[in-house]
Amino acid sequence: MTTVRVIGCGNPDAGDDAAGIVAVERARAALEPIPGVEVLPVVSPLDVVHHLDGADAVVVADAIRTPGGARPPGTVVRAVAGPDGLQAEIGSSLSSHGFGVVEAFGLASAIGPLPRVVVVGVEAEQTGPGRPMSGAVRAALPHLTDSVVREARSLAAQAEGAQTDGSSDPSRGDEPLTR
């Protein structure tokens, strides 16, 4: 059976950093009826590496921060991890430990081949312990949630199609960031 893992990353008590967790929780009801989809709403970036094992495809939702503030807060982006990990342009770690999804996929790709991985993120405005979610990120949550559901459905269908036609890897490849 196809396994598509949907992972929410972030810190639920750190303002905009909770966006990935909130989006996956909101998407849960739409995702759980899809055969082969597993929903993991709260995962640290380091634990993402462990959840790649045995998956045909993975969708990760997270808050991001673009180096130099190139995108306005609340911008929803999409990136696909390639053979060398995730494009660094998606953003930098919001973790106080300096290890985010970009670093997680870089580590995982060094260990072995990645399953198909799609990251949907939202540009964060404010993070920090006890901070509320910013208005820009709160307003972007419906779009982020819809993106999580759309990506999981698409990956489940692609993986299922690949299993039926005998191919082992649903259409991998780098895709550009989209806003």
Side-chain angles (χ1 to χ4, degrees):
M1 173 180 266
T2 299
T3 301
V4 175
R5 292 202 178 104
V6 179
I7 299 172
C9 281
N11 181 338
D13 300 315
D16 293 346
D17 197 24
I21 295 168
V22 172
V24 170
E25 280 291 350
R26 288 182 177 183
R28 183 191 293 264
L31 296 172
E32 287 183 336
I34 304 169
V37 172
E38 299 174 0
V39 180
L40 306 170
V42 183
V43 175
S44 75
L46 183 56
D47 288 336
V48 167
V49 174
H50 304 293
H51 292 295
L52 298 175
D53 190 39
D56 294 298
V58 177
V59 177
V60 176
D62 198 7
I64 58 164
R65 183 163 288 141
T66 307
R71 291 187 289 261
T75 302
V76 174
V77 298
R78 175 187 187 273
V80 176
D84 297 324
L86 190 64
Q87 302 164 343
E89 306 88 59
I90 193 169
S92 59
S93 170
L94 296 181
S95 167
S96 60
H97 304 293
F99 193 89
V101 294
V102 171
E103 295 82 7
F105 293 125
L107 173 62
S109 69
I111 295 169
L114 296 175
R116 177 142 171 106
V117 176
V118 177
V119 175
V120 288
V122 63
E123 187 74 30
E125 182 175 357
Q126 60 186 24
T127 60
R131 306 268 328 247
M133 191 175 286
S134 69
V137 170
R138 196 171 28 262
L141 280 172
H143 180 56
L144 182 64
T145 302
D146 290 345
S147 295
V148 167
V149 172
R150 184 175 48 255
E151 294 294 343
R153 282 185 178 146
S154 175
L155 289 170
Q158 288 174 25
E160 193 60 38
Q163 285 184 354
T164 5
D165 73 11
S167 61
S168 62
D169 190 13
S171 63
R172 289 187 59 133
D174 295 325
E175 297 178 26
L177 292 172
T178 57
R179 296 181 186 198

